[in-house]
Amino acid sequence: MSRLWRVIVIGVSLGGGLVTPVGSLGAAEPDSSPENIRLAEQVQTILRTHCYRCHGQDGTVEGGVNYITDLGKLLARKKIIPGKLEESRLWRRLEDGTMPPPEEHPRPSAQDLAIIRRWITQGAPLPASAVTASRKPITSAEVHNLILADLERLEPRARRFQRFFTFHHLYNAGLSQDELQTYRNALNKLVNSLSWGSKIMNPVPLDEAKTVFRIDLRWYQWDATIWNRILQEYPYGILEDTTAARVLSTFTLARMPCVRGDWFIATASRAPLYYDVLQLPVSLTELERLIRVDAARNIQQERVIRLAFNGSGVSRFNRILERHDSAHGMYWRTYDFDEPPANLANRLEGTLVPDPRNVFAFPLGPAGLAENPFRHAGGEAIFALPNGLHAFFIANANNARLDKAPVNIVSDPRRPDRAVEAGVSCMSCHVTGIMPKADQMRDHLEKNPKAFTRREAELIRALYPGKEAALKVMHEDMKRFAEAVAQTGARVARQEAVSTVTLKYEADLDIELAAAEAGLTVARFREGVAQSPVLRRHFGSLLPPGGTITRQIWVQAFGDLIRELQLGTLFVASLNGPSNEDNTGELDPLESLAGTAHQMVFFPEGRRAVVAAADRSVRLWDVEGRRDVKRLVGHTASVWSVAMPPDGKYALSGGMDGVARLWDLATGLEMQRYTEHSGLVSAVALHPSQPWAYSGSYDGSLAAWRFRDGSELWRREGLGYITALAADPTGERLLVAAGRFLLLLDAKTGEERGRHGPFPAPVSAVAVSPDGRWYAAGFDDGTIRLWKHGQPAAIATLTGHSGPIRALALKDGGRWLLSGGADRTVRLWDTAERQQPQVALWKQHAAPISGVAFLSNGTQVLAGDQSLSIHFWRVDSFFAKPDPNTPPERIPLIRD
């Protein structure tokens, strides 16, 4: 145990931006001549043989370099300067023998160095195979779909404990698998270093590229309070108005169940969040009580091991280390001291008294435990967690917790303010767990036997067992720590992953990384910034070649970027609602998530609407007067689905409380309810001629039940999360959107009569034509598909919306289709047109669409949005008189 404050800086310094294609920084163009292919391959082989084990293998990142075999990145990040040996840092390290370090074997031969020399002097040419290959970006929608697929494989009751981390933005920015492995190692180590669980439990990758990871809160003894504390610091939360995002929130009971892994590593490894996630008390005394250490009694009963020394490397003066046994293994603490002024001279009865900050004059204490105790200024504690990893605590002289240690006592040269921060600074120093340090106190005692009384000398010998005994215990503690680290999938190395990732996250961003973090291509990011005066002021420095921006400015202006480019709604942690009874999530994570009106259906003439509202009510809304006619109150959580028959006598609603309710619109009273769903009732429908209601839930259940008593007509389970229902006007079929499938069920029995899918994206809206012959489905990816009943393949696929489809309506045997999307647009489609089926586009809405309808007058359509804004448009000029001799099914349609 030594140098507890010290931070090690080893090897090549950190590179620049995280990702840059080879050609973008002026590197040599790929040369695929046979000679250059052989030369580059030889260089890669040499680097892999002699350097890869410390600079990329299993995520190792000595000197901040974990891409040693990627010749393109060595050039792009200026580790190699083509044609210039002396300016190439990698070459200088190889030539002077410091890379690999002298103790590493095997070492590159003279012939190996000659090959690398020739490669650099010839301009470091790159064969085509050495260029970083372009990748298909992983979108946020794909991330959501991955998470949904994973959650659906779990038991429903386990879903609320699941949370997720993602590195897909770094993958999109072009980081190699070796570079990404460093981030994975850091995440594995950090979450387990914030755990009171007894086992190492590593996040589970969900995709082949290993960019999305799942954890279970129970693994680390976390709960909703801990997760919400993490979210209080999260600056990158974007609430997307998609079906997948809503389902994720309801499954996990969290509005934001997924955060960026690099941000988490760089933030949760630093106090105060580090302390809060680890649930540490506010004083060292309470911490010792938590881990069953009675420090005063242990010192009195000589059950401690101490060592003292000068020159700790991080402390400005001398230091004492002290080890106790704890409930989970070891507990080491330091006593650190102010540096005494050179002219201090206290006199007592005419005799100079040594300064009590000098541990070699005052090795006993602290105050209260010795007649002449030392006077320390604070210290650091490092203790074993139940899983074998280590945790850290910084305290002042009164044992009160500190986020950072005073720089006049200890310092960390790698932190911006040089302050030692609890968590990350300690991890960067304690790469081996305990840093071995030789005791100097016993030698001092033996060489100065008259400096202490006999009693003091005996006590010093009891507390300070000497170099060999202390080092033996240290190495035993180091071994246990290394075994725990190995279980995280990494290994103890000179460069620690968490601190390295933190430095990379805190570095300046280039435009490639900025675009990837925003979920955009570089071209789209550049265009968006260029077109917005607000964004140009924030991010204009990124636009010139080689431009960068500081992490602080990026975080500060990130919300403006989201708002200006309409990338979603910025997450606000303070809007979290009440927790459920077991404190694993929110009672209603969707409340106030997406405006006021979640869904609306219109009376045939368009003068009134029934609205499923976020305020837990069902509203009977006066369209022209823009006011409530009635509020139907009974749901105990936000309402998300609503249906109404053409005569407008009653309404059916479903909410986050898991209840479907039937309302009398004349009186505003509840007529009946169905309570057998265990999740959000996300879709409801009414039979056209029978007193039957249909309700579907995200819990995978679908029920048909009777008006008179709420009894079940039939029930289906395990259908997947249900997002939309539509009853066939003939009364024969029920159209069901279930995850990425579209099902056709018998309306009377619930038996399956057909299905379509799986589709690339979840189904988000459905509609059936008035004659029952045609039906349509809208999807989270903005596409719409149209089918003729009885045919397995879609007749048409319509594209144009840039976001999820929220509402659909069909007219005239399926020829005319009206759609509203989360992109705030309403579109009219003439499916008889092959080349340009979209005949009208309306952009007047300022919020995602909640409902659309063709009015009974035959001349107008209307649409309402989540802000309860409703607009009418005349469409009769688009409607050509159909040929009465041409049945609807023969109308030509646009095809896939």
Side-chain angles (χ1 to χ4, degrees):
M1 169 77 169
S2 67
R3 295 181 291 176
L4 285 166
W5 305 93
R6 184 181 176 190
V7 176
I8 301 174
V9 182
I10 301 175
V12 183
S13 63
L14 288 171
L18 287 175
V19 134
T20 311
V22 170
S24 65
L25 289 182
E29 290 298 320
D31 185 342
S32 57
S33 66
E35 179 183 354
N36 284 327
I37 289 176
R38 286 193 299 272
L39 184 59
E41 289 177 347
Q42 285 178 306
V43 171
Q44 285 178 313
T45 298
I46 294 168
L47 295 177
R48 178 172 291 277
T49 301
H50 300 289
C51 306
Y52 182 59
R53 60 183 177 269
C54 294
H55 297 286
Q57 186 175 10
D58 300 323
T60 51
V61 62
E62 300 300 337
V65 176
N66 51 2
Y67 47 86
I68 198 70
T69 61
D70 189 330
L71 303 187
K73 285 183 179 174
L74 290 176
L75 297 179
R77 300 178 187 182
K78 300 188 183 300
K79 306 301 180 187
I80 293 293
I81 307 299
K84 299 179 180 180
L85 284 170
E86 294 306 314
E87 295 181 25
S88 299
R89 284 183 285 175
L90 177 59
W91 168 255
R92 294 201 306 269
R93 297 292 306 279
L94 289 167
E95 185 181 40
D96 64 18
T98 59
M99 181 176 175
E103 69 273 11
E104 291 286 335
H105 295 279
R107 304 190 61 76
S109 65
Q111 183 180 3
D112 293 334
L113 295 180
I115 291 171
I116 295 176
R117 173 193 288 271
R118 180 158 58 93
W119 174 66
I120 297 173
T121 56
Q122 290 184 357
L126 299 175
S129 60
V131 179
T132 301
S134 61
R135 290 171 172 165
K136 180 181 180 299
I138 300 173
T139 66
S140 62
E142 290 171 326
V143 170
H144 287 161
N145 288 338
L146 280 167
I147 295 174
L148 272 181
D150 179 68
L151 288 173
E152 287 189 289
R153 288 190 288 267
L154 300 177
E155 288 294 327
R157 292 187 60 82
R159 293 170 182 167
R160 70 189 190 277
F161 301 106
Q162 311 308 308
R163 297 296 185 269
F164 302 87
F165 299 102
T166 178
F167 298 119
H168 77 285
H169 59 290
L170 300 178
Y171 175 91
N172 293 344
L175 267 67
S176 68
Q177 286 298 332
D178 286 335
E179 292 173 288
L180 287 170
Q181 188 58 45
T182 302
Y183 286 82
R184 299 177 192 123
N185 291 347
L187 179 63
N188 289 356
K189 182 181 179 185
L190 182 60
V191 293
N192 283 291
S193 296
L194 296 171
S195 168
W196 287 99
S198 61
K199 299 178 181 178
I200 297 292
M201 299 295 294
N202 294 325
V204 178
L206 305 186
D207 60 326
E208 185 177 353
K210 296 183 180 180
T211 66
V212 183
F213 292 83
R214 169 174 51 82
I215 65 167
D216 189 309
L217 296 175
R218 296 171 295 184
W219 293 347
Y220 314 114
Q221 297 193 18
W222 296 355
D223 55 21
T225 299
I226 298 298
W227 188 255
N228 288 338
R229 175 65 185 91
I230 293 169
L231 293 180
Q232 286 176 3
E233 306 293 330
Y234 191 49
Y236 304 115
I238 302 174
L239 300 174
E240 299 185 35
D241 190 18
T242 67
T243 298
R246 292 179 183 177
V247 177
L248 284 183
S249 290
T250 57
F251 278 3
T252 60
L253 300 183
R255 288 193 302 145
M256 185 62 58
C258 180
V259 299
R260 282 177 34 183
D262 58 334
W263 168 86
F264 175 80
I265 294 164
T267 310
S269 64
R270 299 170 53 212
L273 188 59
Y274 171 79
Y275 287 141
D276 294 345
V277 176
L278 195 49
Q279 306 163 68
L280 296 185
V282 296
S283 76
L284 193 61
T285 303
E286 293 177 43
L287 172 65
E288 291 174 349
R289 189 177 299 117
L290 177 68
I291 60 176
R292 302 296 298 273
V293 170
D294 187 335
R297 182 62 59 85
N298 288 347
I299 294 171
Q300 291 171 340
Q301 296 187 359
E302 302 169 10
R303 296 188 305 216
V304 300
I305 293 176
R306 274 187 182 175
L307 53 152
F309 49 88
N310 285 312
S312 69
V314 61
S315 176
R316 294 174 58 85
F317 197 44
N318 47 206
R319 157 174 280 192
I320 294 174
L321 308 185
E322 181 178 278
R323 186 190 187 279
H324 302 252
D325 285 333
S326 74
H328 310 298
M330 62 80 180
Y331 167 72
W332 286 87
R333 68 160 298 175
T334 73
Y335 298 98
D336 288 294
F337 299 85
D338 293 313
E339 184 174 3
N343 62 353
L344 179 68
N346 291 330
R347 295 181 179 275
L348 181 64
E349 297 178 357
T351 304
L352 282 174
V353 178
D355 194 293
R357 288 169 286 198
N358 179 0
V359 299
F360 294 97
F362 293 87
L364 302 176
L369 296 177
E371 183 177 350
N372 296 304
F374 54 72
R375 190 178 75 216
H376 68 290
E380 172 193 349
I382 174 172
F383 59 95
L385 293 165
N387 60 21
L389 292 177
H390 292 170
F392 308 92
F393 195 98
I394 299 174
N396 64 15
N398 296 319
N399 288 340
R401 192 178 82 182
L402 298 175
D403 293 347
K404 297 180 179 182
V407 293
N408 64 316
I409 299 177
V410 291
S411 62
D412 179 351
R414 300 180 75 182
R415 300 307 303 151
D417 59 0
R418 299 184 66 84
V420 171
E421 295 186 73
V424 66
S425 295
C426 309
M427 292 179 190
S428 68
C429 174
H430 293 280
V431 291
T432 59
I434 301 301
M435 302 293 290
K437 190 69 177 179
D439 174 59
Q440 298 173 355
M441 179 58 68
R442 285 293 289 268
D443 286 347
H444 172 72
L445 176 64
E446 301 305 326
K447 293 177 182 178
N448 301 278
K450 296 182 179 180
F452 304 97
T453 67
R454 178 178 297 179
R455 181 180 178 185
E456 286 176 331
E458 290 175 351
L459 184 54
I460 292 170
R461 291 188 181 95
L463 297 179
Y464 295 82
K467 297 178 184 177
E468 298 304 321
L471 286 172
K472 179 180 178 182
V473 174
M474 287 181 176
H475 284 293
E476 290 173 351
D477 289 342
M478 290 168 58
K479 180 181 178 182
R480 284 191 287 270
F481 176 75
E483 291 170 350
V485 171
Q487 293 180 57
T488 70
R491 55 186 171 91
V492 172
R494 284 173 293 186
Q495 195 87 1
E496 196 273 330
V498 173
S499 57
T500 299
V501 167
T502 298
L503 289 174
K504 286 182 176 292
Y505 170 81
E506 293 173 336
D508 293 351
L509 293 79
D510 58 20
I511 194 168
E512 287 82 10
L513 180 58
E517 291 196 9
L520 302 171
T521 63
V522 171
R524 175 71 182 91
F525 179 85
R526 189 184 297 275
E527 177 187 7
V529 171
Q531 292 179 353
S532 167
V534 173
L535 298 184
R536 284 190 67 89
R537 290 175 68 89
H538 289 314
F539 307 122
S541 63
L542 283 167
L543 300 184
T548 61
I549 188 173
T550 65
R551 175 61 67 178
Q552 293 88 340
I553 295 298
W554 174 254
V555 171
Q556 182 187 74
F558 186 77
D560 290 337
L561 179 73
I562 301 306
R563 285 186 288 269
E564 285 286 300
L565 300 186
Q566 297 184 4
L567 300 179
T569 302
L570 200 65
F571 169 76
V572 180
S574 61
L575 295 180
N576 285 341
S579 294
N580 57 1
E581 293 181 356
D582 59 10
N583 196 28
T584 56
E586 294 182 53
L587 285 170
D588 187 357
L590 298 183
E591 191 168 19
S592 301
L593 188 63
T596 299
H598 295 151
Q599 188 177 32
M600 59 178 68
V601 293
F602 299 97
F603 283 71
E605 80 288 349
R607 294 180 180 176
R608 291 183 297 172
V610 178
V611 178
D615 63 2
R616 307 182 184 184
S617 72
V618 178
R619 297 185 178 191
L620 181 57
W621 184 255
D622 181 342
V623 172
E624 294 182 351
R626 294 185 57 81
R627 64 181 181 84
D628 286 326
V629 178
K630 287 187 179 71
R631 284 203 182 191
L632 315 179
V633 178
H635 283 284
T636 59
S638 54
V639 185
W640 283 86
S641 56
V642 68
M644 181 183 66
D647 60 16
K649 292 183 177 180
Y650 46 83
L652 180 65
S653 63
M656 186 65 195
D657 55 6
V659 180
R661 301 173 189 267
L662 186 67
W663 306 90
D664 185 326
L665 291 181
T667 64
L669 299 178
E670 182 180 302
M671 299 168 57
Q672 195 53 259
R673 70 177 66 176
Y674 181 80
T675 62
E676 297 303 314
H677 296 293
S678 61
L680 168 67
V681 180
S682 48
V684 293
L686 295 161
H687 193 279
S689 59
Q690 297 292 331
W692 301 339
Y694 302 96
S695 54
S697 172
Y698 281 176
D699 66 9
S701 66
L702 173 64
W705 46 279
R706 300 176 180 87
F707 287 4
R708 67 174 183 270
D709 57 5
S711 62
E712 289 180 1
L713 179 68
W714 52 261
R715 181 180 175 92
R716 293 285 303 274
E717 299 278 0
L719 296 180
Y721 53 92
I722 295 171
T723 58
L725 298 174
D728 179 350
T730 67
E732 296 180 1
R733 294 175 297 276
L734 185 68
L735 198 62
V736 182
R740 295 190 296 127
F741 291 88
L742 184 63
L743 310 180
L744 280 78
L745 304 185
D746 187 299
K748 296 180 181 179
T749 66
E751 295 180 7
E752 187 173 316
R753 301 301 186 191
R755 72 165 50 202
H756 305 288
F759 301 105
V763 188
S764 54
V766 294
V768 184
S769 66
D771 62 5
R773 296 185 179 185
W774 300 89
Y775 52 94
F779 298 84
D780 248 14
D781 61 8
T783 61
I784 303 168
R785 289 175 172 82
L786 187 68
W787 288 267
K788 178 178 181 291
H789 178 65
Q791 295 186 3
I795 300 297
T797 298
L798 309 175
T799 59
H801 284 281
S802 60
I805 306 301
R806 286 279 165 255
L808 295 172
L810 286 166
K811 177 181 173 63
D812 291 347
R815 175 177 178 177
W816 298 99
L817 189 149
L818 188 64
S819 62
D823 60 1
R824 309 176 184 183
T825 68
V826 180
R827 299 168 191 257
L828 178 65
W829 311 82
D830 181 356
T831 58
E833 295 292 335
R834 291 180 177 273
Q835 300 301 320
Q836 294 180 334
Q838 181 180 296
V839 298
L841 168 64
W842 296 286
K843 298 182 177 180
Q844 285 86 342
H845 288 276
I849 306 303
S850 298
V852 298
F854 291 98
L855 297 190
S856 58
N857 60 23
T859 63
Q860 290 177 299
V861 298
L862 81 168
D865 62 36
Q866 291 177 355
S867 67
L868 266 177
S869 176
I870 299 174
H871 295 283
F872 292 78
W873 293 277
R874 291 190 64 88
V875 293
D876 50 320
S877 61
F878 297 110
F879 297 161
K881 294 181 180 180
D883 184 348
N885 297 318
T886 305
E889 62 267 33
R890 294 187 181 179
I891 294 175
L893 301 169
I894 186 169
R895 298 181 180 276
D896 290 331

